[in-house]
Amino acid sequence: MIKVGIVGYGNIGRGVEAAIHQSADMELVAVFTRRAPETLQIQSSTAKVEHMDTLESYKGKIDIMILCGGSATDLPVQGPAIACHFNTIDSFDTHARIPEYFETVNAVACENGTTSIISVGWDPGLFSMIRMMSGAILPVGEDYTFWGKGVSQGHSDAIRRVKGVKNGIQYTIPMDEAVECVRKGENPQLATKDKHLRECFVVAEEGADLAEIENIIKTMPNYFADYNTIVNFISEEELKANHTKMPHGGFVFRSGVTGFEEESKQIIEFSLKLDSNPQFTANVLVAYARAAVRMNQEGMKGAKSVFDVPLSYLSPKSNMELMKELL
Amino acid sequence: MIKVGIVGYGNIGRGVEAAIHQSADMELVAVFTRRAPETLQIQSSTAKVEHMDTLESYKGKIDIMILCGGSATDLPVQGPAIACHFNTIDSFDTHARIPEYFETVNAVACENGTTSIISVGWDPGLFSMIRMMSGAILPVGEDYTFWGKGVSQGHSDAIRRVKGVKNGIQYTIPMDEAVECVRKGENPQLATKDKHLRECFVVAEEGADLAEIENIIKTMPNYFADYNTIVNFISEEELKANHTKMPHGGFVFRSGVTGFEEESKQIIEFSLKLDSNPQFTANVLVAYARAAVRMNQEGMKGAKSVFDVPLSYLSPKSNMELMKELL
């Protein structure tokens, strides 16, 4: 049995707990939290809830720590600190800082003989793998990525910061016409607003100027100004009733040509349709946790990305079983 | 530069030649054939055409041989014979015999310090990878694979063996309703004939009994009896004009659930739409040729499958470039 620790018990942490429950070869040992442990109710009856400060005392008792904190402030600190003592998996997704984060974690992991797979999930993660693999197979071609329909946490936060807004949520919606055009192999040049629509559901404070709120949202630089944005005003009750789920998904395409005369169009498409973004991300993290433990046992130490992991390491099945059943 | 040899110059071999042409880090050294070399016209002006018997004399001059023969009779002999002297890639696709073929090639490759990646292509190959990876991520769920629309060589051959048939071709067509049902997450139980339709275009000999031919085809065990089959009679001219391309493709789905109560539906879909099946297969072979050479240089010897290869090995880019550009 692979012994697992969960660091941080938000949506992803809870999803990891459920994913471990689905995995016959894994056992949850403890959930580590910054809150008072006795205030945390977890689902697994056999696992402990511990304060983050006790983490080091589990050295030798836990094979891998799955880090479920955020990329902004948690992971830059926790990643290197925990990689000193344990194999780790995280979903670090601040794109521009990935190389720097990789180097930091790699230095620590190499020094301490641990294995850390960083930036695991679906984007970065599965989408990155498909882009990488498809580009290697079809070197002459174009990549397209569409996200959604799904909730963007960053854009929802931006809405909630607008004066007069009490609550709100934002859905990123891929434009059907653009997706169809790519699927047909037309290799279109797409402007930002041709690819995605942004739909906002906003709860205004009483007496707020709705026209003003709508205008501020629609013209907000970086977040909304470059898109077609729809703003719907709804009640707090409606928001709670219809907008608390966290669906997401998206599409990755490689549209390329092959042959000496580049005469044949070849299209690779990968898509996800997720009822729960955090739960799916958690399931990806858990599969990579299995891989990290095996890589460490086989001497592959240091920081790794999803590009470095042979796919067979994700599965509890033996290589011969995989070959017989799935090749 | 990676120095490549092509063994066998049919549709796949020609596709491999074009794929090498698209790859800046690769150089085609020679094409090996069983025909008289002077009768073979290849596209690459700098490569040689050699008889198969001279193959061993290229030891040390070629980094990898891409085996483009068939699975029925060529590869079972060529695979182990050539793996004695060279790293190899092949697209061995007789599913039931893959484990046995793997063992044979593995024994030879281990003994001689070469690396051979077997059963490379899109199915077996990319489809297998998606099935494997998706099953590890969503352990509770169902797999669905649909093939087509595309030409099935085996079924086309079966038609041509029918008495009174001069020529013919068979398209495997996925049933839209079934694909849509899976895409919606309904996890249907699908009988063979619910998943695919078989459409035949048949050129009959003069005076042949068309009703009799249609009946023989539609009731042919293993090939057609379990399917809804459409038989169209056309002229030889129409066959030549409209049915000489080799399109193919298909869909792989994993439809699973996550969460403690298994409350969230999660759907992974991967699909290919290929104008040229052999050219696309060739491009996959060439990407894996790059991986095999690197694995051999790094000491990973013996037979491998696509499950054993870290994705980064498919790309000519460095790990840091991949991380910056694609993660």
Side-chain angles (χ1 to χ4, degrees), chain A residues 51 114 118 199 211 227 239 242 265 280 295-296 301 307 316:
Chain A
H51 193 273
T114 59
I118 69 155
E199 185 166 23
Y227 296 86
L239 189 86
N242 300 333
K265 192 93 208 167
F280 185 79
M295 290 173 87
N296 188 261
K301 297 175 183 181
F307 300 148

Side-chain angles (χ1 to χ4, degrees), chain A residues 183 258 269 271 273 279, chain B residues 183 258 264 269 271 273 279:
Chain A
R183 191 173 280 141
T258 60
E269 176 176 350
S271 69
K273 199 162 68 186
Q279 282 178 14
Chain B
R183 191 173 280 141
T258 60
S264 305
E269 176 175 350
S271 69
K273 200 162 68 187
Q279 281 178 14

Side-chain angles (χ1 to χ4, degrees), chain B residues 178-193:
Chain B
V179 173
E180 270 314 309
C181 194
V182 170
R183 191 173 280 141
K184 280 187 199 144
E186 295 173 7
N187 283 29
Q189 292 285 333
L190 296 167
T192 299
K193 72 167 192 285

Side-chain angles (χ1 to χ4, degrees), chain A residues 22 132 137 183 257-258 263-265 267 269 271 273 275-276 279 283 307 311-312 320 327, chain B residues 22 95 103 132 137 183 257-258 263-267 269 271 273 275 279 283 307 311-312 320:
Chain A
Q22 288 187 326
M132 201 241 93
I137 291 168
R183 191 173 280 141
V257 286
T258 60
E263 70 272 20
S264 306
K265 192 93 208 167
I267 299 173
E269 176 176 350
S271 69
K273 199 162 68 186
D275 271 3
S276 167
Q279 282 178 14
N283 273 50
F307 300 148
L311 296 180
S312 60
M320 195 40 86
L327 193 63
Chain B
Q22 287 186 327
H95 185 83
E103 295 294 0
M132 201 240 92
I137 291 168
R183 191 173 280 141
V257 286
T258 60
E263 70 272 18
S264 305
K265 192 94 208 169
Q266 315 278 21
I267 299 173
E269 176 175 350
S271 69
K273 200 162 68 187
D275 271 4
Q279 281 178 14
N283 274 49
F307 300 148
L311 296 180
S312 60
M320 195 41 86

